[in-house]
Amino acid sequence: MTQVFRAIKDLRGWVLGRKSQHRRIALVPTMGALHRGHLALVTEAQHQADDVIVSIFVNPLQFGPQEDLARYPRPFESDLQLLQQVGVAAVFAPSAEEMYPSGVSRTRVTVETMSDVLCGRTRPTHFEGVTTVVAKLFNIAEPDIACFGQKDWQQLAIVRQMAIDLNFPVEIVAVPTVREDTGLALSSRNQYLSAEEKMQAALLYQALMAARRLYDAGERSAAKIRAAAEALLHEADLTPEYVELVERDTLKESPDRLTGPSVLALAVRIGRARLIDNVMLG
Ligand code: AMP
């Protein structure tokens, strides 16, 4: 039986009970509108822990004023059904008032530098919103592990850094990106795309793969690898918000000649959706 909690104190009580039985607890933070990508996180969490809590919270703090907070999909009943089917122990679905009783959060958690690059350039308050809510969720659910998707590489790297810097006793587990057959990374925001736009969106992955092939063939010039991805996007009349090569863990811009493990990340607007994707190099 999947337990559903709306109140922080009720989830806390349940967690306390599980911990007294020495159960290992995993947290999977989501904004709902669940798809196979989210379920891959749940499966990994179930492998590594005894009880899995999935949080469903469309966090206002991580949306900019012009962003899609109001129209973000919230199909709670079907989400819950999915989670019941896969045997999740608990769902935490608080209201915005429960999470932010005074309407705002006067305390914010910021991971400096890493939050200002890549998506942070056009979404200046986004990652502060993410790290603040994830810190709250860690304090509320006290998980032993927490699973995050590699699709949002910047988020994963920032949350990892936060857990280290603030000594959260949580192991951060990374889960590979789940894709459609076309290569398109699953995302709740794919719902904003028409069938034609979805076909265009599959080019993001093809662009990343073109760059990866170059890397695999021995190319180490950051500019050339980036250009390979950009060329494919431009051919399709897509203007990326960014295509960048960064160091895997620090998110610092890669040197001209790649040495250590890097991530090629991009963001592209297609129709009403802003899509992101990335691949690991090395
Ligand atoms: P969201 O609901 O979009 O905030 O995502 C919740 C979690 O699911 C985050 O850790 C995401 O990185 C992860 N996630 C979203 N899409 C995918 C995907 N296609 N594959 C793997 N993980 C994903």
Side-chain angles (χ1 to χ4, degrees):
M1 253 298 276
T2 304
Q3 306 259 356
V4 180
F5 298 101
R6 300 280 183 182
I8 293 168
K9 71 168 181 4
D10 295 342
L11 178 68
R12 279 220 168 105
W14 180 85
V15 167
L16 218 61
R18 307 314 282 178
K19 293 212 161 200
S20 71
Q21 297 170 37
H22 306 287
R23 307 273 296 176
R24 190 170 151 84
I25 293 185
L27 174 69
V28 178
T30 81
M31 298 206 298
L34 303 178
H35 49 66
R36 284 184 296 114
H38 297 111
L39 294 183
L41 304 194
V42 170
T43 302
E44 185 58 34
Q46 287 173 328
H47 275 304
Q48 297 207 25
D50 301 310
D51 293 316
V52 176
I53 304 169
V54 174
S55 63
I56 299 181
F57 180 57
V58 183
N59 174 34
L61 208 60
Q62 70 189 68
F63 286 77
Q66 309 300 326
E67 293 182 2
D68 56 345
L69 174 62
R71 67 187 164 99
Y72 198 86
R74 292 166 170 84
F76 182 72
E77 287 308 321
S78 57
D79 283 351
L80 184 56
Q81 257 181 22
L82 265 179
L83 296 173
Q84 282 167 336
Q85 276 165 19
V86 297
V88 159
V91 171
F92 179 50
S95 64
E97 294 71 36
E98 179 71 4
M99 289 298 273
Y100 304 111
S102 59
V104 288
S105 182
R106 276 181 290 269
T107 303
R108 308 276 173 112
V109 178
T110 308
V111 177
E112 290 194 335
T113 340
M114 295 171 80
S115 302
D116 304 331
V117 298
L118 304 174
C119 290
R121 280 194 231 284
T122 49
R123 306 185 77 193
T125 57
H126 172 66
F127 289 107
E128 180 181 85
V130 170
T131 36
T132 300
V133 82
V134 170
K136 284 165 72 72
L137 290 169
F138 284 178
N139 283 329
I140 293 165
E142 296 187 50
D144 298 286
I145 72 165
C147 297
F148 291 84
Q150 290 184 7
K151 192 209 139 223
D152 301 278
W153 182 265
Q154 184 173 15
Q155 167 172 287
L156 170 63
I158 287 173
V159 167
R160 264 203 182 123
Q161 193 61 50
M162 175 188 79
I164 293 169
D165 290 346
L166 296 184
N167 304 95
F168 279 106
V170 185
E171 183 193 333
I172 308 298
V173 174
V175 178
T177 303
V178 177
R179 302 177 178 281
E180 294 194 356
D181 292 342
T182 59
L184 174 62
L186 296 188
S187 162
S188 308
R189 289 187 166 103
N190 291 354
Q191 294 183 23
Y192 301 153
L193 301 171
S194 68
E196 197 180 318
E197 287 168 343
K198 253 186 145 176
M199 269 160 47
Q200 253 196 328
L203 290 169
L204 270 64
Y205 185 63
Q206 288 174 26
L208 292 170
M209 283 301 105
R212 167 117 112 207
R213 277 194 297 277
L214 209 58
Y215 178 88
D216 288 343
E219 182 58 64
R220 290 294 178 271
S221 155
K224 284 190 184 157
I225 293 169
R226 240 188 7 244
E230 279 166 347
L232 213 133
L233 294 174
H234 287 145
E235 266 172 43
D237 271 340
L238 292 172
T239 311
E241 188 182 292
Y242 67 77
V243 177
E244 285 191 61
L245 257 168
V246 295
E247 294 177 1
R248 188 187 61 191
D249 299 319
T250 63
L251 306 181
K252 282 189 189 137
E253 192 180 345
S254 294
D256 295 343
R257 287 203 70 73
L258 300 187
T259 46
S262 322
V263 174
L264 179 65
L266 51 77
V268 182
R269 251 175 210 292
I270 297 182
R272 297 198 305 157
R274 179 180 177 281
L275 304 175
I276 58 171
D277 204 347
N278 66 77
V279 284
M280 222 67 48
L281 300 179

